[in-house]
Amino acid sequence: MKIAPVLLPSLITIALKPTEVGLNHHKSDHIFTGPSMMKLYHIGFVVFFIMMLFFPKIPISFLSFLPEKSSLGLGIFGLFLWLILVYKNCFHISVFPSGVKILCCFAIYTFLISIASMKISSIAYASQLLIYCFLGGLLLCNYMQRIMDFGQLSTLSTILITFGLIYSIGVVISVWTGPIYPHQVLWYHRNCPGFNVTRGTGFSEGPNMAGAILSVFSALLLFGLKQKWSIVVKVVVIVGLALTVSRAAIIGLIIGIFVIWLIDFFRYLLAGKFKLKSLIKLLCIPFFIGCLYFLSSYVLSPDSTIKSVAECFGIGGDGFSKRLTSNRSEFWQQGIESLNDCHFLTKLFGSGFHGSSTTTSYGTWLTSHNFYISLFGDFGLFGMVIFVIVFYKYFCVIFKRLIIIEGYGYERGTFVAIISLLAINMTETYFYSPVLISILIFLFAIQKAALKFHSYNKS
């Protein structure tokens, strides 16, 4: 299906619409771009995200040092195209989140450890991460700075809503047609009690990756993006997320929503206020899940459709805990056991990208299915500490804002999305993915730029 190439002209048209210049122009002392350059930034962003999210991956099985099913995403070419468009103005930046800076330090560390491992495959993956962190960080942070400086938040919202809508439609379509790019998908069926499910994969390499991406779009739509027609897109995106049947993505989003509602509840209490609406919102999630679990486990008959669907998502029935984690706990245990067998220096510094992984008969990497266990195995205690600091710096700022002043829409949306991604990586190694590491950088850039924008407006 030649869907992805058709997206480019329509989204570039959105980026080229007349822009509202000057919302914060008079307060900024670091603007180096005019309206025409702002359009180039929009075009570059659209091209990068289309090539990263919607274009197929290139098989690179001819590289003997990589597993047979290895592939290369075209997002890296989108980054270089974006750089070519704006290279004259991309180095003037004052909004560079500390999380992105530390993430770049982490990328350097992974590159050095991978070189020390003397494994070509590790060096290749580390080089890719280095490019995405430095070049992606530079361009995305620059882009968000200029979005705020030139009052382009409405244009960005339109672009992101369009991305979310198209990506979700791709997932919905793939439930009936199968994967849009079959060559890059291995598993997209799930055996549920009484029936089999074809899971939505859309443009992605698998339903779990599609679910992770849609969980981010869902968080931004529910809390950050405000457009007249966004309610329709919210429904489509959430339906798309459900059709991936990705337990990790759905539960990750639920955890993110629950955490921000919990913060809201405590903020009201600290302010000496009690809002019944806040308490009801907080309790509705565990109440709904508890009811579904109770019905599935003790009330509904074995041939009930609701019971089958609930068990398909891992809620209730026999073997509840195993289905909820998709038997990931067995992989986690194996990963922990392999860590215990490692040399002391390996526990400290790691063994390079995928140093703790093996290859399967399918030609893919066999990991612990837990990013944090794999991170410890690949980059040791030092690598783990650096990566934890990335989020420590972010949460130190965002928790304070959410508790004291509730936070603005985009800040709340990015918070829920990041909590969701942290939860999803309990069952996958998606922070190794260029797609999700780019999305993480973008979320950091949104939060930092929004913070600076609102501080300008108060001054």
Side-chain angles (χ1 to χ4, degrees):
M1 296 177 67
K2 297 182 179 180
I3 296 179
V6 178
L7 303 179
L8 194 56
S10 59
L11 282 168
I12 287 178
T13 301
I14 293 174
L16 284 174
K17 281 185 177 180
T19 57
E20 316 152 6
V21 179
L23 179 63
N24 197 43
H25 189 277
H26 64 287
K27 292 184 178 181
S28 176
D29 58 354
H30 54 266
I31 296 177
F32 295 87
T33 61
S36 59
M37 183 57 69
M38 189 68 246
K39 290 179 181 179
L40 290 179
Y41 266 98
H42 282 313
I43 293 172
F45 175 77
V46 167
V47 169
F48 168 51
F49 260 63
I50 286 179
M51 296 185 75
M52 182 175 69
L53 293 179
F54 301 106
F55 274 40
K57 292 188 171 183
I58 303 173
I60 50 176
S61 55
F62 57 88
L63 298 176
S64 58
F65 55 85
L66 295 175
E68 182 183 350
K69 292 293 184 179
S70 296
S71 56
L72 177 67
L74 295 181
I76 194 167
F77 299 107
L79 273 179
F80 284 111
L81 287 173
W82 192 2
L83 179 64
I84 292 170
L85 286 173
V86 300
Y87 73 95
K88 291 182 180 180
N89 297 84
C90 68
F91 298 101
H92 305 292
I93 181 169
S94 62
V95 178
F96 207 80
S98 57
V100 178
K101 294 176 184 176
I102 301 169
L103 197 58
C104 289
C105 293
F106 173 75
I108 293 173
Y109 176 81
T110 64
F111 184 70
L112 294 176
I113 295 299
S114 296
I115 289 178
S117 73
M118 301 182 69
K119 297 175 183 176
I120 300 177
S121 60
S122 295
I123 296 171
Y125 282 106
S127 301
Q128 178 179 243
L129 179 65
L130 200 64
I131 292 172
Y132 273 93
C133 285
F134 274 87
L135 190 54
L138 176 69
L139 292 171
L140 287 169
C141 292
N142 251 295
Y143 180 60
M144 280 311 305
Q145 175 179 310
R146 284 155 177 76
I147 286 287
M148 295 303 177
D149 287 338
F150 285 86
Q152 294 290 294
L153 207 53
S154 176
T155 302
L156 176 64
S157 296
T158 302
I159 293 172
L160 291 179
I161 289 172
T162 306
F163 280 152
L165 179 62
I166 296 172
Y167 198 90
S168 303
I169 291 173
V171 169
V172 173
I173 291 174
S174 67
V175 172
W176 284 271
T177 65
I180 293 175
Y181 304 124
H183 72 277
Q184 64 188 28
V185 181
L186 285 179
W187 300 283
Y188 57 95
H189 293 288
R190 171 165 290 167
N191 296 323
C192 298
F195 61 94
N196 293 327
V197 174
T198 299
R199 303 171 65 188
T201 58
F203 304 90
S204 181
E205 65 264 34
N208 288 332
M209 174 60 83
I213 293 170
L214 285 179
S215 72
V216 173
F217 279 122
S218 298
L220 292 176
L221 281 165
L222 290 172
F223 293 93
L225 303 177
K226 305 295 183 184
Q227 297 283 11
K228 292 180 180 179
W229 48 285
S230 62
I231 183 64
V232 177
V233 184
K234 289 177 185 178
V235 173
V236 175
V237 170
I238 291 173
V239 168
L241 176 60
L243 290 177
T244 64
V245 197
S246 174
R247 297 160 186 166
I250 295 169
I251 293 173
L253 179 62
I254 291 173
I255 290 172
I257 294 172
F258 181 78
V259 170
I260 200 166
W261 284 353
L262 182 64
I263 292 173
D264 289 342
F265 179 71
F266 279 111
R267 186 180 64 255
Y268 292 132
L269 290 183
L270 291 173
K273 302 176 182 178
F274 176 79
K275 289 195 174 183
L276 182 61
K277 180 180 178 181
S278 177
L279 181 61
I280 292 173
K281 285 199 307 183
L282 185 62
L283 295 178
C284 70
I285 292 178
F287 177 76
F288 174 75
I289 294 175
C291 288
L292 194 58
Y293 173 73
F294 179 77
L295 289 172
S296 175
S297 300
Y298 304 107
V299 177
L300 298 174
S301 62
D303 57 349
S304 168
T305 302
I306 296 178
K307 179 181 177 69
S308 298
V309 171
E311 291 189 10
C312 187
F313 282 95
I315 303 175
D318 300 328
F320 162 66
S321 61
K322 280 193 172 183
R323 274 200 311 279
L324 186 60
T325 61
S326 301
N327 295 319
R328 295 292 202 271
S329 55
E330 297 175 5
F331 291 104
W332 301 345
Q333 184 62 37
Q334 292 171 8
I336 293 171
E337 289 174 357
S338 66
L339 285 177
N340 293 332
D341 296 334
C342 289
H343 189 275
F344 174 72
L345 289 177
T346 302
K347 292 178 181 177
L348 280 180
F349 302 105
S351 54
F353 248 104
H354 288 299
S356 63
S357 305
T358 58
T359 55
T360 68
S361 57
Y362 299 103
T364 60
W365 289 109
L366 177 62
T367 69
S368 62
H369 282 279
N370 183 306
F371 171 77
Y372 309 103
I373 296 174
S374 294
L375 174 63
F376 200 106
D378 293 346
F379 300 110
L381 180 61
F382 284 132
M384 174 71 79
V385 169
I386 296 172
F387 198 80
V388 167
I389 293 174
V390 170
F391 292 95
Y392 171 76
K393 299 291 287 185
Y394 167 76
F395 285 123
C396 282
V397 175
I398 194 67
F399 272 126
K400 182 178 179 180
R401 290 186 59 77
L402 292 176
I403 291 174
I404 295 177
I405 64 168
E406 184 178 5
Y408 297 96
Y410 265 100
E411 292 178 299
R412 294 170 66 82
T414 57
F415 175 80
V416 173
I418 288 175
I419 291 290
S420 177
L421 289 178
L422 288 171
I424 291 168
N425 274 275
M426 287 289 294
T427 64
E428 298 289 350
T429 56
Y430 283 152
F431 279 141
Y432 280 169
S433 163
V435 175
L436 286 189
I437 208 69
S438 298
I439 289 176
L440 179 63
I441 291 171
F442 184 51
L443 294 174
F444 283 149
I446 290 175
Q447 194 275 331
K448 181 68 173 182
L451 176 61
K452 191 160 189 177
F453 172 73
H454 292 298
S455 67
Y456 274 153
N457 284 347
K458 287 183 178 180
S459 62

